[in-house]
Amino acid sequence: MQKHLLKRNLGSWAFIAPILLVHILVVALPAASTLYLSLTDWSGVGIPHFTGFANLHRLLFDDTNFISALKNNIRWLVFFLTIPFIMSLSAAYGLSQIKRGVMFYRVSLFLPYILPSVIVGALWGFLLNPSTGITGFLDKIGIPGFDKALLGTPGKALWAIAFIDNWHFWGFLTILFLVALQNVPRELYESAELDGANEFQRFRYVALPGIRPTLIFMLMMVGIWSFLVFDYVWVLTKGGPAGSTEVLGTLVYRTAFGDFEAGYATLQGLGMAFFASASLVSFGILRKRGWEI
C-alpha cells in the first residue's frame, strides 16, 4: 500500500516538476530579487547599494506622489466596480430574453474589446479634442460642459479616461454575464413568473443568484485590474495634467525610467502589488468564513 502511494506521488511530482521549475525561474527568483532591490539605491545600471529600510520610510512618510496616485487608483476602483457592472448586467439580462439576433449583439458588444488599447486611446483622444472632435461639435450646437478639453482638465481627465476604458471593457463583461445567464434553467424564470414575480424580481432572485460565481469572480478580477491600470492613462495623458491622472502604474514607470530610481520604483511596484492582491485576500477570507463565493 505504501509503495503504491509512493509511486503515485512520484508520478504526480514528475508531471508537476517541469511547471514548478519554470515557476521558480520566472516567478520565485525574480520575486526574491525584487524584494532585495526594493532595499537598495539603484539607478537601473551598475551595482545596487543596500540602504535597508530607507526606501520604505520614504514611501510611507515622504512620498506624497504615491498617496496621490493611490487615491486615483481607488477612484478608478470605485468607478469600475459600479458603472461597468450596472451596464453589463442590465444589457446581459436584456439580451438573455431575446431569441433572435443575439449573435449580432454579441459581436457588436465584443468588437471594441479586441481593439488594441493604443488604437482605442488614439481614437478617443481625437474624439475628445475640443477643436476637431465630438466634444467640439457638442459645444458648437449649444450643449454645455464641452467647451474644455476633458483630457486637459484636472478634475475631469481621470473620469474621461475611465469612460474610455469602460467603452472598451463593458462589452466583454456583458458577454461573460450573458453566457452565464444562458446556463440558468428557464424553469426557474417560469416558476418565478407563476408566483407573480415581476421582471426586476426575476432578475434579482433568479438571474443574479444563478450567475453569482461569475459575478464574484469578475468583481475580484476588476478589483485586481484597477490597481494595475497603466495603458490608457499613459497613452492619453501620461499622468497629467498636473498629476491629476497619475496612477500607481504610471508612477512606477516614471520613477524607474524618468527619475532613474529603479530601486525605489521596485518598492513602489511592491506597494502596487500589495493593493492589487488585497481583493484576492479579502475574498479568500470571506470564503473561509462561510460566504458562498
Side-chain angles (χ1 to χ4, degrees):
M1 185 65 178
Q2 292 181 348
K3 290 183 178 180
H4 177 70
L5 290 174
L6 180 62
K7 288 182 180 179
R8 188 171 65 179
N9 290 334
L10 287 176
S12 300
W13 279 107
F15 281 104
I16 295 174
I19 303 300
L20 184 61
L21 179 61
V22 172
H23 183 81
I24 291 173
L25 292 175
V26 302
V27 177
L29 292 179
S33 64
T34 298
L35 290 173
Y36 170 73
L37 290 174
S38 67
L39 302 174
T40 65
D41 179 15
W42 185 45
S43 66
V45 180
I47 300 174
H49 299 286
F50 184 79
T51 57
F53 293 103
N55 285 340
L56 182 61
H57 183 277
R58 174 184 171 185
L59 182 72
L60 295 177
F61 300 104
D62 301 327
D63 194 348
T64 57
N65 291 329
F66 184 84
I67 301 300
S68 177
L70 177 60
K71 289 179 180 178
N72 283 336
N73 276 103
I74 293 174
R75 294 185 182 100
W76 192 276
L77 173 68
V78 172
F79 179 93
F80 275 91
L81 287 182
T82 53
I83 304 301
F85 280 86
I86 293 172
M87 293 175 60
S88 57
L89 283 170
S90 302
Y93 182 72
L95 289 174
S96 69
Q97 309 302 311
I98 296 175
K99 296 181 179 180
R100 293 184 178 180
V102 176
M103 185 56 66
F104 170 77
Y105 292 114
R106 281 187 179 185
V107 174
S108 300
L109 290 172
F110 195 77
L111 186 61
Y113 190 74
I114 67 176
L115 298 176
S117 56
V118 174
I119 294 177
V120 173
L123 172 66
W124 276 100
F126 172 78
L127 291 175
L128 295 182
N129 189 303
S131 300
T132 59
I134 189 172
T135 53
F137 172 76
L138 293 175
D139 178 56
K140 289 178 181 178
I141 63 176
I143 298 178
F146 293 96
D147 56 337
K148 296 181 180 179
L150 296 179
L151 295 174
T153 306
K156 300 177 180 178
L158 184 67
W159 305 116
I161 299 173
F163 166 82
I164 294 169
D165 198 349
N166 181 50
W167 177 87
H168 174 257
F169 173 69
W170 83 279
F172 166 75
L173 205 58
T174 301
I175 298 304
L176 286 182
F177 291 149
L178 177 59
V179 172
L181 283 169
Q182 290 176 335
N183 291 325
V184 178
R186 300 298 304 178
E187 293 80 4
L188 296 178
Y189 292 107
E190 294 171 359
S191 298
E193 187 175 2
L194 290 174
D195 290 337
N198 57 34
E199 197 71 34
F200 177 76
Q201 289 172 329
R202 291 197 295 272
F203 171 74
R204 179 180 178 183
Y205 295 109
V206 178
L208 284 182
I211 65 169
R212 180 164 52 187
T214 303
L215 178 61
I216 295 299
F217 176 75
M218 289 312 301
L219 284 170
M220 182 180 67
M221 293 306 300
V222 169
I224 294 173
W225 293 337
S226 294
F227 287 98
L228 303 180
V229 58
F230 173 81
D231 47 358
Y232 281 101
V233 177
W234 190 258
V235 169
L236 290 165
T237 63
K238 291 184 171 57
S244 61
T245 63
E246 190 85 274
V247 291
L248 294 177
T250 59
L251 179 65
V252 171
Y253 184 89
R254 194 185 308 280
T255 303
F257 301 106
D259 301 335
F260 298 103
E261 295 183 276
Y264 184 60
T266 302
L267 182 63
Q268 290 178 328
L270 289 175
M272 182 172 68
F274 170 80
F275 289 107
S277 62
S279 61
L280 179 62
V281 174
S282 62
F283 278 105
I285 293 174
L286 293 175
R287 188 180 183 86
K288 285 186 176 181
R289 292 188 174 183
W291 286 45
E292 295 182 4
I293 58 177

